Every structure is written in structure tokens, then in C-alpha cells.
Amino acid sequence: MHARIARFSVIFCLCIPAPLLAQGQEEPADSLIIVTGQGLPDTPASPAYGTVEIDRESVLTVPSGRIEEALADVAGFQQFRRSDSRSSNPTAQGVTLRALGGNATSRALVTLDGVPVADPFFGYVPFAALIPEQVGRIAVTRGGGSGPFGAGALAGTIAIESLSPEMQAPLGASVLVNDRGGTEGASSFSAPLGRGFATGALRWDRGPGFYTAPGSQRVPASVPARFDSVSGQLRAVAPLSDDLELQARVLAFDDARTLRFEGAEISASGQDYSIRVVGRGRWQVDALAYVQARNFSNIVVSSSRFVPVLDQRNTPSTGLGGKIEVRPPVGDAHTLRLGVDYRRAQGELQEEPISAFTGQITARRRAGGATSDLGLFVEDDWQVGQLILTGGLRADRTTIADGFFREADANGAIVIDNRFADRSDWSLTWRAGALLRASPSLDLRAAAYSGLRLPTLNELYRPFVVFPVVTQANADLRNEELRGVEAGLDWRPLDGVELSLTAFDNRLENAIANVTLGANLRQRQNLPAIETRGIEAGLRATRGPIRFIGSLSYSDPRIEGVGASLALDGNAPPQSPRWMAAASVTYEMAENALVSLSLRHVGDQFEDDQESEVLPAFTTLGAYAQVPLVGKLDLVLRGENLFDEEIVTRVSGGALDLGAPRTLWAGVRYGF
């Protein structure tokens, strides 16, 4: 019911006619104030950290139409599983960079207009909630860092920015259908709101999906991975004065999936609210506050008897936080940033094991707690001729509190009642970098940094089963800490051609991983360290109507094992491929007419820390075509995995899960 109310409210709000929003808000031309809806500009030294930009065209022309595929154009980006947000368990959508592995929790910080979007309980990124048609730009920074919301940016930062109003049509819509009967629909509006603007968007994806089980492993209970997700948002921006603007957003989503077996139903839903004030005067200010209300449910079906064995019926969680950043006027040579930010996550798991033989509930479990992070940061960019130096410090007060795990039997009698001690700590992290404009065509850069991440409530308190493997929680987990260095160059040998190259060495201490304890038994533990070294390369070239974008990454991550983890010493962390590559070539035939091909390669990776199960490498080819029909109406054709490459996303004792096979799409798009 909670999710249905959220869906109804989103659809109702987005049905408000755009002219009604603007009614009675006209202002005389001489009082017009231009508002952008953006945050403060990037600082001069931002390029020192090797940021890669994904533009709007790249987001809209990916063959799958998913944001996660657009992000995969940056080699080194990966989710915990190789599936996208139509056929994976949402809790496996943790993102990382640089093959730093993980356990389904994000090690990269993902923000939408400055607001962290990860789930407060699990730490995954709800990609189905993010609307590609509303994205204006994505900036991906690989490597750790401090600054606002820096805690959590171990592997890097993915900053998603909304489309500016001048780039939006008053009305936009698209409808596509694929060869399996799946549909994808989106609509949007943009309208003046006094001296500001209001925008809204709705996206609805649904379909029968595909079989994730290979044909030889299907049973009568096997079903395709059905999906049905809806997401909508309203955003309003208004000036408070000549150089001060107010930004507000409401986002809601409801995401339902069926995985592998009939009855294995998963639901994720949420509502996010944020408000932001941006001042662009002499004293620049960026202040925001947000609150998230999320929920998750999951019915686990036995892979031997094909009946429900666990009902994770409810996982309510709340995230709230905010930041204030001030940039005082300290002269043209310096850009000084001072600020404070705060994040708090609170939630609990409510689940009921079910007997596979009787169908009766055998126990009732509840587990949860709260974590918080108060951060103070200072950073300065100093420009000396062609050299830009940057350095920053960040202090974090992290707290883990109110942790508990309680289990009752079928009759309600308490059999386990664990209360975990509260704990808190101060941590100091830093980053420093240098950018040298060596010539008009060559930039040299170097950086060093540290960072931290709190364990999530999921890692601390929630055990789970992916039959037959049981993974235990661990309330004693410590914060992850990263230290790293990198150096690189950006070279523009010709007009329209840019080559980037980065070498890095990152060390992640206290890395949280699912560590094997015995046959079919794992526990989340802090490993002594994961060390990863590698090379990242990128090439962008535009020649007339042809545009090429390519990226390549090689990483060599290794576990450092000591004591209980000594047997893992030298092993690669799970879900960490050495090689990743992506390339796309686009030919623009005329205005709004284009054809694009995209190639993606992911190398071998291990399923587990014992290196006993291998997920083989895969290479996929996708295509996108857009042909104008009349006015702003375009024909859109898309093709995913055109050669029908087998993508193994999970392996356990010979049982496989597969990713998306060849999928063909056709439809129309107006105004986007």
C-alpha cells in the first residue's frame, strides 16, 4: 500500500498542466533574473583529480536506455553484479570504481544535484529511480577525496546534474517497445514559475523480462525476470534575490521485480525530498537539506523445493542530512571552501523464515540501528601562473548506535535478543593535488588522498542467504579507510581530439568483504587491506559528423591477508575484473538524425574470495539510431547485445544467472 500511494502521488503531481504552474507569475522584462538550477561551479583545481564527463547525448543514446549503461562508458565503473536494474536484486546495485570489489555496498559516492542518493539501509544506488531524460551532465571522478559528503567517496564520486531549463522543451514524451513485449515510457514538462522555473518528469518501465537461468537449468518454477518500475520527480527553482536562488525537489519511485522463480518477488520504493539555497555573490554559498524514506521487501524461494523460505516483508529506513559550504572572497588567486555536512541513516529489517515443508512461519526477526557522520572540511585552490595547487582537510565524527538483533520463535517467545554497544570516533582525511598547464595542448596532474566509509546497517546487522550460502552480519565492523596516489596527463594534439592517461595506486584498509568461514558459510569481516594498482586511458575525438569516445582500464587488485584471512593473501577480491573497456562511435547525419554503435568489454572476475568460481569475460555490441519524422518527433531504434553474448552474472555450485540477451527496441520520441 505504501508503494502504491507513492506511485499515485507522483502521477497525480505530474499531471498538473504546465501552464497552470506558471499562471499569474509573469514578471516585467526589466526585472528578469536568470536562474540556473545548478550548484556552485567546479573549482579551478577540479581537473587535478582526473574527472571524466558524460554528456547528455551519451546518456540518451545508450542501447538499453539505462543510466548505469551510460556510466559504464567510463571504464572502471561497475556494479556488484553485472545485471542492470531490470534483472538484478536492487540490493546488488552497489557501485564502485577501480576494481575495488565490495559486497554489494557502494564504495563510490553518487549524488543527484549534490544530494547523496544511496539507500540508507543497504547502501545500493536505486538506478530505476533516476530518470535519464532529466540528466544534463554526469561527472565521474575516480579516486578518493574529501570535501562535502566526502565520507563514502572511497572509490570515487559520481555527480549527476539535472538538465538546465534552457535545454528542455516545454513538453517531452517517448514510448518504446521491445521484441519481448517490454515497454518504456517517459514524459516531461518545463515551465516558467515566476522568475524561476518548474520541471517534472515521469518514467515507467515494465516488461515480461527474460530467463536469467540457462535453458539446461530451468525447472517448472523458473520464470523470466519480470520488472515494473515507475519513477517521477518535480523540481522548482526560484530566485530569492539577484544572486541567491532556492531549489526544491520531490522524487518518488516504486520498483518491482521477479527473479528466477515464480513467487520470488522483490519491491523497492522510496520518496526523497530536498531543498537547496545557492548564493553566487561575493560570498558564495551552497546549503542543502534532504530526507529519504525508503523501503524494501523480498521473498526468497528455495532453489530445491521452489517454495518461499524467507519473507523479508519490510525494511523501512530513513536517511536525512544536509550541508553548508561557504566560499569567501579571498582574492582571484585563491578559491577557499569551508563547510560542514551531516548524514544519518536509521532503519530495521523485519523478516520471517518459512518452513519449506509446512509453509509455516518458523521465526520472526528484527534487526537494525542507526549510523551518522558529521563532517567538517576546508579546501583551498591556489593558482600560480600556469600551476594550480589544491589541498584540503576533513574531520569526521562517525557514530554507530542503537544496534540490535532480535529473534522470536513462531509463538512469539524471544530466543535471541542482542543489543550492541554504541561507538563513535573522529577520523581525519585529506587530499592534495597539482595541475600544470604545461602548454596550450598539454595538462599534467598529480594527486594524493585519503578517505573513509562507514559500514552500512545492512553490513552490520542483516544476515542473508543466497542458497545454499549463508552470510552472517557483523556488528563489530570498523570503518573502511583508503589512501591513494595518482598521476596523469590530458593531451589535446589536434582540435577535437583529447587523450587522457592516469596511473594510480590505491590501498583500502579494513575492507569489508564477505569472507568464507566454511562450507556454504560466510561472514562480513574487515580484511587487512585491498591493494589495487592500474592504468586508465580515455580518448575523445570529433571529426565533422563523427564522434568517438573510448576508455580502457587495467587494475590488479589483491587482498592482503593476515591471521584469520591469511588464506586469502594474494587473491583477487570478488567481483573485480582486471580489464574493462568501452567505446562508442556516433555519426550525425543531419539535425536530430544519428546512428551510434557502442562496444563494451568486461574481463574475467571471481565470484568468491576463494577464487573457486569464475565469471567469464564478455564483450557486447549495442546500437542506437534516431531519425526525424516531423517537427520534434523522432523515430528511435535501439539494439542491446546484438550478438547475443552470454553474460554470466552469478555462479554458485554450477548454477548460473545470466544478464540481458539480445533485445531490440523501437518507438518514438518527442521533445527530448
Side-chain angles (χ1 to χ4, degrees):
M1 181 62 69
H2 178 73
R4 291 182 179 178
I5 292 173
R7 177 183 294 193
F8 175 78
S9 63
V10 170
I11 296 174
F12 176 79
C13 289
L14 293 180
C15 286
I16 300 173
L20 183 60
L21 289 170
Q23 221 171 27
Q25 300 291 333
E26 295 297 327
E27 297 287 339
D30 59 2
S31 66
L32 181 65
I33 298 174
I34 298 176
V35 296
T36 67
Q38 307 299 315
L40 295 178
D42 293 338
T43 61
S46 295
Y49 298 103
T51 298
V52 178
E53 182 174 320
I54 303 173
D55 60 24
R56 176 169 174 76
E57 180 178 299
S58 297
V59 174
L60 290 182
T61 58
V62 294
S64 67
R66 320 297 296 183
I67 284 183
E68 56 265 42
E69 184 178 359
L71 289 170
D73 284 345
V74 179
F77 167 85
Q78 65 175 123
Q79 298 184 82
F80 180 68
R81 295 289 181 196
R82 293 165 159 186
S83 307
D84 65 28
S85 54
R86 295 167 294 187
S87 62
S88 68
N89 189 310
T91 62
Q93 292 175 199
V95 301
T96 190
L97 297 156
R98 292 187 166 168
L100 276 173
N103 55 6
T105 297
S106 294
R107 284 194 169 125
L109 175 66
V110 181
T111 62
L112 176 60
D113 293 328
V115 179
V117 301
D119 183 84
F121 190 92
F122 294 95
Y124 72 86
V125 177
F127 282 113
L130 304 178
I131 302 175
E133 290 79 8
Q134 290 296 101
V135 173
R137 169 182 178 262
I138 304 176
V140 181
T141 303
R142 293 171 288 199
S146 55
F149 295 125
L154 284 177
T157 305
I158 299 171
I160 304 172
E161 296 180 3
S162 293
L163 187 65
S164 58
E166 66 271 14
M167 296 183 64
Q168 295 195 59
L171 293 173
S174 67
V175 178
L176 290 92
V177 62
N178 68 27
D179 55 343
R180 286 190 295 276
T183 59
E184 173 192 304
S187 63
S188 71
F189 75 82
S190 177
L193 182 63
R195 293 179 295 175
F197 65 88
T199 63
L202 175 69
R203 176 156 167 150
W204 187 15
D205 297 274
R206 65 187 303 272
F210 58 89
Y211 283 99
T212 58
S216 61
Q217 296 182 3
R218 293 175 198 163
V219 297
S222 298
V223 295
R226 299 188 295 265
F227 61 95
D228 187 350
S229 65
V230 63
S231 178
Q233 72 172 28
L234 285 171
R235 187 166 184 253
V237 179
L240 300 177
S241 67
D242 290 353
D243 53 21
L244 194 68
E245 71 180 46
L246 176 68
Q247 306 171 10
R249 175 199 301 281
V250 177
L251 181 149
F253 67 95
D254 180 22
D255 184 13
R257 309 177 197 178
T258 302
L259 298 186
R260 197 174 178 102
F261 300 120
E262 187 66 49
E265 307 292 342
I266 297 176
S267 174
S269 61
Q271 304 89 47
D272 293 3
Y273 308 88
S274 65
I275 189 166
R276 187 181 197 183
V277 175
V278 179
R280 308 180 196 280
R282 291 186 67 249
W283 284 77
Q284 296 184 340
V285 177
D286 189 350
L288 67 84
Y290 71 90
V291 61
Q292 303 167 317
R294 303 282 181 87
N295 208 337
F296 173 82
S297 64
N298 180 26
I299 297 177
V300 179
V301 172
S302 166
S303 60
S304 57
R305 297 185 61 84
F306 312 112
V307 295
V309 292
L310 180 65
D311 184 3
Q312 295 175 330
R313 59 183 178 82
N314 207 20
T315 315
S317 63
T318 303
L320 60 87
K323 78 159 185 179
I324 299 175
E325 177 183 336
V326 178
R327 299 182 185 179
V330 290
D332 294 339
H334 289 269
T335 301
L336 179 63
R337 306 170 69 189
L338 306 170
V340 57
D341 60 61
Y342 177 75
R343 280 191 286 175
R344 175 180 170 84
Q346 183 174 3
E348 69 173 46
L349 165 73
Q350 302 169 9
E351 69 176 20
E352 298 167 347
I354 301 170
S355 171
F357 300 96
T358 67
Q360 300 297 309
I361 294 173
T362 60
R364 302 179 191 276
R365 299 172 185 153
R366 297 180 68 178
T371 63
S372 65
D373 180 0
L374 173 65
L376 307 171
F377 62 91
V378 56
E379 189 165 83
D380 184 48
D381 292 0
W382 180 26
Q383 187 162 355
V384 185
Q386 302 304 309
L387 177 65
I388 302 176
L389 302 174
T390 181
L393 290 174
R394 178 182 173 91
D396 287 274
R397 173 70 169 179
T398 58
T399 301
I400 298 174
D402 303 327
F404 73 94
F405 179 89
R406 185 181 306 117
E407 181 173 326
D409 63 20
N411 298 319
I414 301 296
V415 294
I416 300 175
D417 190 3
N418 292 333
R419 301 283 178 167
F420 305 107
D422 296 352
R423 47 198 171 101
S424 59
D425 196 9
W426 279 100
S427 299
L428 184 68
T429 56
W430 50 270
R431 70 174 180 175
L435 175 68
L436 176 63
R437 308 288 189 185
S439 73
S441 62
L442 178 63
D443 298 338
L444 303 177
R445 49 185 165 79
Y449 39 76
S450 65
L452 69 88
R453 180 183 76 85
L454 280 78
T456 62
L457 299 173
N458 175 56
E459 293 168 317
L460 290 164
Y461 306 122
R462 172 184 170 259
F464 69 96
V465 179
V466 179
F467 187 84
V469 180
V470 176
T471 301
Q472 301 173 339
N474 185 350
D476 295 324
L477 291 171
R478 302 186 301 279
N479 293 344
E480 294 183 334
E481 300 178 357
L482 180 135
R483 290 174 178 80
V485 296
E486 63 184 67
L489 59 86
D490 299 299
W491 183 37
R492 299 168 293 278
L494 301 169
D495 288 342
V497 178
E498 181 175 351
L499 173 68
S500 64
L501 188 66
T502 304
F504 65 89
D505 185 343
N506 288 180
R507 178 181 174 84
L508 178 61
E509 298 180 348
N510 299 329
I512 299 172
N514 299 332
V515 177
T516 300
L517 303 180
N520 297 326
L521 179 62
R522 298 175 185 169
Q523 185 187 44
R524 297 188 183 96
Q525 293 186 359
N526 290 107
L527 296 173
I530 294 176
E531 181 88 18
T532 180
R533 300 181 178 92
I535 298 288
E536 298 159 343
L539 175 63
R540 292 171 175 258
T542 302
R543 277 291 180 264
I546 299 177
R547 183 177 78 156
F548 174 85
I549 300 175
S551 64
L552 173 70
S553 72
Y554 170 78
S555 304
D556 186 21
R558 295 293 171 184
I559 295 173
E560 292 187 9
V562 177
S565 60
L566 182 60
L568 304 179
D569 189 57
N571 286 6
Q575 314 298 334
S576 301
R578 289 189 175 186
W579 289 98
M580 301 184 74
S584 65
V585 59
T586 302
Y587 177 63
E588 296 186 7
M589 296 172 285
E591 185 176 358
N592 286 343
L594 60 87
V595 175
S596 177
L597 293 176
S598 59
L599 190 71
R600 185 184 177 204
H601 174 80
V602 177
D604 294 345
Q605 61 195 67
F606 292 105
E607 173 72 35
D608 62 331
D609 59 352
Q610 304 293 303
E611 299 188 347
S612 60
E613 303 275 15
V614 177
L615 303 175
F618 70 88
T619 303
T620 59
L621 178 69
Y624 176 93
Q626 181 174 305
V627 181
L629 296 178
V630 59
K632 296 181 179 180
L633 185 66
D634 300 325
L635 171 68
V636 173
L637 303 173
R638 301 194 319 227
E640 304 178 53
N641 193 5
L642 291 177
F643 294 138
D644 206 21
E645 176 89 342
E646 182 177 84
I647 304 171
V648 180
T649 64
R650 187 185 71 89
V651 57
S652 178
L656 305 180
D657 280 342
L658 304 178
R662 179 172 50 240
T663 307
L664 304 177
W665 293 84
V668 292
R669 175 180 286 169
Y670 175 84
F672 290 139

